[in-house]
């Protein structure tokens, strides 16, 4: 790994997002229906995030296939384990390197127990650490994904990756 990539890795940020509920009892029938109906619309998420950033004087972000794939792997791993954790699929830094991303800086928000994109974004905006990721000044791209496990205490697991423009792009 070159010095530039090592510096990029040191710039990687990972902050956990909190789920709405820490209940350990099974989901109610109403919550089970909400899990079944939960969807993420990446284009709507891009518009939502870009609009929020614009309201704070920041540039827009574009949906990125590599970051979306990374988010999906993280969401899937959390759903499979039933755990809300940045490390369930490996550390964030190791996942950035394994994805082959050449980024100046990157961040990850995770969450669970949210049934809509709007709920997930509200949870992230309401948390200072996660809000900082949404408002990372140098961010130009992002990926977002969900995975479901109706047998878990959360039902729906969210992952969002944001990153600065890759070198050479």
């Amino acid at each position: 790994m070159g010095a530039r990539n090592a510096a990029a890795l040191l710039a990687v940020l990972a902050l956990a997002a909190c789920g709405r509920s820490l209940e350990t009892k099974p989901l109610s029938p109403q919550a089970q229906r909400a899990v079944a109906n939960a969807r993420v619309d990446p284009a709507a998420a891009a518009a939502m995030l870009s609009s929020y950033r614009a309201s704070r004087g920041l540039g827009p972000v574009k949906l990125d296939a590599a970051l979306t794939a990374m988010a999906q792997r993280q969401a899937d791993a959390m759903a499979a384990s039933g755990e809300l954790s940045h490390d369930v699929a490996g550390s964030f830094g190791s996942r950035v390197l394994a994805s082959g991303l050449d980024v100046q800086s990157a961040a990850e928000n995770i969450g669970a127990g949210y049934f809509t994109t709007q709920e997930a974004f509200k949870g992230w905006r309401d948390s200072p650490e996660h809000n900082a990721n949404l408002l990372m000044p140098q961010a130009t791209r992002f990926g977002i994904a969900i995975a479901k496990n109706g047998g878990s205490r959360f039902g729906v697991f969210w992952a969002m990756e944001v990153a600065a423009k890759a070198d050479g792009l």
Side-chain angles (χ1 to χ4, degrees):
M1 174 179 359
R4 187 173 197 169
N5 285 341
L9 180 58
L10 292 176
V12 171
L13 304 172
L15 298 172
C18 299
R20 173 175 31 203
S21 170
L22 294 178
E23 297 175 12
T24 57
K25 62 184 179 184
L27 296 175
S28 69
Q30 179 182 7
Q32 287 286 350
R33 285 189 295 279
V35 168
N37 292 326
R39 305 276 183 275
V40 63
D41 178 346
M48 188 182 308
L49 180 54
S50 291
S51 175
Y52 180 58
R53 290 172 56 81
S55 75
R56 302 299 192 274
L58 297 170
V61 292
K62 292 184 180 181
L63 191 62
D64 180 272
L67 293 174
T68 298
M70 186 175 164
Q72 190 64 64
R73 286 189 298 275
Q74 177 65 15
D76 288 344
M78 290 187 301
S81 71
E83 283 186 58
L84 178 64
S85 168
H86 285 283
D87 297 325
V88 72
S91 73
F92 181 65
S94 69
R95 290 184 287 114
V96 168
L97 289 176
S99 293
L101 298 173
D102 181 15
V103 295
Q104 297 168 351
S105 59
E108 175 175 80
N109 281 359
I110 59 173
Y114 301 118
F115 301 120
T116 68
T117 305
Q118 292 80 4
E119 288 177 349
F121 269 82
K122 181 179 181 337
W124 291 329
R125 285 189 309 265
D126 290 348
S127 165
E129 295 87 4
H130 312 113
N131 192 50
N133 289 345
L134 298 175
L135 299 175
M136 183 192 317
Q138 64 274 37
T140 58
R141 56 199 181 121
F142 88 111
I144 189 168
I146 66 169
K148 302 175 187 181
N149 177 346
S152 74
R153 63 184 176 182
F154 298 114
V156 182
F157 295 82
W158 294 78
M160 182 176 69
E161 319 297 338
V162 293
K165 182 178 176 181
D167 291 341
L169 293 181

